[in-house]
């Protein structure tokens, strides 16, 4: 089939226009801030709905995924998600295997001295059981002497151990904490009767309860900021600036409302803490 010359000229013009448009988007961070320009490579643990999860088609979904894609668009880089379990993420980031951690890393003073942390949401911890359990819980101390599941190397585990130590100091029985690499594994152990209760962030616990596989007894324990984490300060600042713009134009509110996550009250975003000293 032969096309008129005018049609061919139009197709060529459109192609050239698109190519020129693509070239006008220059990354807002220097090449030295990224492992592989113009890619923004970030680790993600897609086992925590509604923050990050995999749908029935095997595609990444969730607030963290959509928020990162929006940020990437604003700073003119290509978002690349590297799926992995949480425990090795911090040492892997510090050793330069990727550019950022995008998995809702809880802010702590210690972490703020190892990495550049940009808070973007609020989270806290919930206590839940299997829906068929006869156990009733009103406070964290009600877990004394119980077998409780928690994801390893997380803020939730750290706070649970701190609370456990304080309970023992009061003369209460210690909690037997059993650690798992994913919420799926924790839920399986709970259903199998290997655990009496479990701990996770509010939003994940809410998702489990909505699916009918958990009953939440206590919410909003030890609330704190959750963050994106970076090895490079300029990249962290560029993301913070993009977040401020996303908040200003209403995109932030739309995404958080869509996924039922807890927003930060701040209208501007910034690195919290001094970051690495060496």
């Amino acid at each position: 089939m032969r096309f008129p010359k005018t049609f061919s000229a139009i197709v060529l013009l459109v192609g050239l226009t698109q190519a020129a448009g693509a070239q006008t988007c220059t990354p807002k961070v220097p090449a030295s801030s990224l492992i592989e320009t113009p890619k923004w490579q970030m680790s993600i643990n897609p086992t925590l709905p509604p923050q990050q999860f995999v749908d029935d088609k095997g595609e990444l979904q969730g607030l963290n995924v959509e928020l990162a894609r929006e940020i990437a668009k604003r700073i003119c880089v290509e978002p690349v998600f590297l799926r992995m379990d949480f425990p090795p993420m911090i040492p892997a980031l510090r050793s330069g295997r990727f550019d950022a951690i995008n998995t809702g890393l809880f802010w702590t003073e210690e972490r703020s001295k190892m990495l550049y942390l940009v808070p973007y949401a609020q989270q806290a911890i919930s206590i839940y059981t299997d829906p068929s359990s006869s156990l009733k819980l009103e406070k964290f101390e009600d877990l004394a002497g119980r077998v409780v599941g928690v994801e390893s190397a997380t803020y939730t585990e750290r706070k649970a151990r701190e609370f456990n130590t304080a309970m023992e100091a009061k003369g209460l029985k210690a909690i037997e904490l059993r650690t798992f690499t994913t919420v799926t594994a924790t839920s399986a152990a709970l259903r199998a009767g290997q655990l009496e209760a479990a701990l996770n962030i509010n939003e994940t616990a809410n998702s489990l309860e909505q699916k009918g596989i958990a009953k939440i007894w206590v919410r909003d324990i030890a609330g704190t900021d959750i963050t994106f984490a970076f090895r490079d300060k300029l990249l962290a600042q560029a993301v913070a600036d993009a977040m401020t713009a996303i908040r200003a134009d209403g995109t932030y509110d739309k995404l958080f409302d869509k996924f039922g996550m807890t927003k930060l009250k701040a209208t501007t975003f910034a690195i919290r803490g001094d970051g690495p000293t060496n």
Side-chain angles (χ1 to χ4, degrees):
M1 182 176 181
R2 302 181 66 181
F3 295 98
K5 290 183 179 180
T6 52
F7 179 78
S8 299
I10 291 171
V11 171
L12 178 61
L13 179 61
V14 170
L16 291 173
T17 301
Q18 289 177 337
Q23 292 172 359
T24 61
C25 189
T26 303
K28 295 183 179 179
V29 290
S32 59
S33 294
L34 299 168
I35 292 174
E36 185 181 352
T37 304
K39 296 179 179 179
W40 172 24
Q41 300 182 57
M42 65 197 91
S43 64
I44 191 166
N45 178 16
T47 63
L48 294 171
Q51 275 186 239
Q52 61 262 1
F53 60 97
V54 177
D55 64 17
D56 294 339
K57 297 180 181 179
E59 299 293 328
L60 282 173
Q61 304 290 346
L63 172 73
N64 286 24
V65 177
E66 292 196 22
L67 186 57
R69 286 174 176 157
E70 185 64 31
I71 292 168
K73 184 169 64 176
R74 308 282 179 125
I75 64 175
C76 298
V77 294
E78 176 190 349
V80 178
F81 300 97
L82 307 174
R83 304 183 192 186
M84 61 187 295
D85 291 335
F86 177 76
M89 284 188 186
I90 292 177
L93 178 61
R94 297 188 74 195
S95 66
R97 284 180 52 194
F98 41 82
D99 302 306
I101 294 174
N102 178 8
T103 190
L105 190 71
F106 280 92
W107 190 94
T108 67
E109 188 73 33
E110 179 184 1
R111 287 172 175 172
S112 74
K113 295 176 181 178
M114 295 190 293
L115 304 165
Y116 296 105
L117 303 180
V118 177
Y120 68 93
Q122 272 269 319
Q123 277 185 350
I125 300 167
S126 290
I127 304 172
Y128 59 96
T129 64
D130 186 84
S132 64
S133 174
S134 60
L135 187 62
K136 295 183 178 180
L137 305 165
E138 295 182 355
K139 55 187 182 300
F140 194 91
E141 286 78 6
D142 291 341
L143 295 174
R146 305 286 183 182
V147 181
V148 179
V150 64
E151 288 183 60
S152 60
T154 61
Y155 174 85
T156 305
E157 182 191 5
R158 174 180 297 191
K159 297 306 293 186
R161 294 195 184 281
E162 289 178 3
F163 292 148
N164 201 20
T165 299
M167 287 164 51
E168 288 185 89
K170 294 179 182 178
L172 297 173
K173 290 184 179 179
I175 300 169
E176 182 182 336
L177 286 170
R178 295 184 182 177
T179 58
F180 300 85
T181 56
T182 67
V183 65
T184 302
T186 308
S187 298
L190 195 61
R191 288 196 303 272
Q194 298 169 1
L195 304 172
E196 294 177 90
L199 306 171
N200 215 310
I201 58 174
N202 284 348
E203 288 78 8
T204 298
N206 289 340
S207 177
L208 295 174
E209 189 170 62
Q210 289 166 8
K211 294 176 181 176
I213 57 178
K215 177 174 176 53
I216 300 173
W217 291 95
V218 185
R219 290 181 170 88
D220 301 326
I221 301 168
T224 190
D225 291 351
I226 57 170
T227 69
F228 289 112
F230 303 86
R231 64 181 184 85
D232 180 86
K233 188 174 184 178
L234 293 178
L235 177 58
Q237 187 58 56
V239 168
D241 293 342
M243 286 286 298
T244 297
I246 288 168
R247 186 68 186 255
D249 68 15
T251 304
Y252 179 93
D253 288 343
K254 289 178 182 177
L255 287 176
F256 274 71
D257 290 342
K258 176 180 177 179
F259 291 103
M261 294 283 290
T262 305
K263 307 167 190 174
L264 286 183
K265 293 181 180 179
T267 56
T268 58
F269 295 80
I271 298 168
R272 182 180 171 193
D274 295 330
T277 55
N278 52 45

